[in-house]
Amino acid sequence: MSNRLNQEREALLQPKRIEACLKELERRGFKCESDNTKIVFMLNGNKIQFFPYSGWHSGKGIKDGRGFQNLLRQLEGR
């Protein structure tokens, strides 16, 4: 758990967001690994990390940013 102000909300929403994001990424053909806070997958041999609660994504080969829809837009072009 992080040090956010509303930890109850995070504990409630994070598993749902992880599940939904995993499902969509796997539907698009990515092999994903997940722990309690992040999703990791490979894109062109590079490790991409996505944190579903905050929406932050980062990794070599993509532009760092926030938002799952923004990540999906970047993945469509690859």
Side-chain angles (χ1 to χ4, degrees):
M1 184 78 52
S2 68
N3 292 327
R4 297 183 193 282
L5 291 176
N6 196 340
Q7 292 184 350
E8 293 173 8
R9 181 175 188 268
E10 180 180 1
L12 179 69
L13 292 177
Q14 188 158 286
K16 294 176 185 177
R17 290 182 183 181
I18 288 175
E19 181 181 343
C21 294
L22 275 173
K23 191 181 292 186
E24 180 61 24
L25 288 169
E26 289 173 351
R27 186 184 75 75
R28 292 173 182 248
F30 293 99
K31 283 187 148 185
C32 303
E33 296 177 11
S34 173
D35 62 13
N36 292 335
T37 59
K38 67 182 173 185
I39 297 172
V40 178
F41 61 96
M42 300 299 283
L43 176 66
N44 299 329
N46 299 311
K47 183 169 89 170
I48 307 297
Q49 295 183 37
F50 176 66
F51 299 87
Y53 187 74
S54 66
W56 183 256
H57 52 269
S58 179
K60 186 174 180 182
I62 65 168
K63 184 177 178 186
D64 295 353
R66 194 173 300 277
F68 188 59
Q69 295 304 316
N70 292 332
L71 174 62
L72 293 178
R73 265 187 245 123
Q74 289 188 57
L75 297 177
E76 287 175 0
R78 309 220 189 282

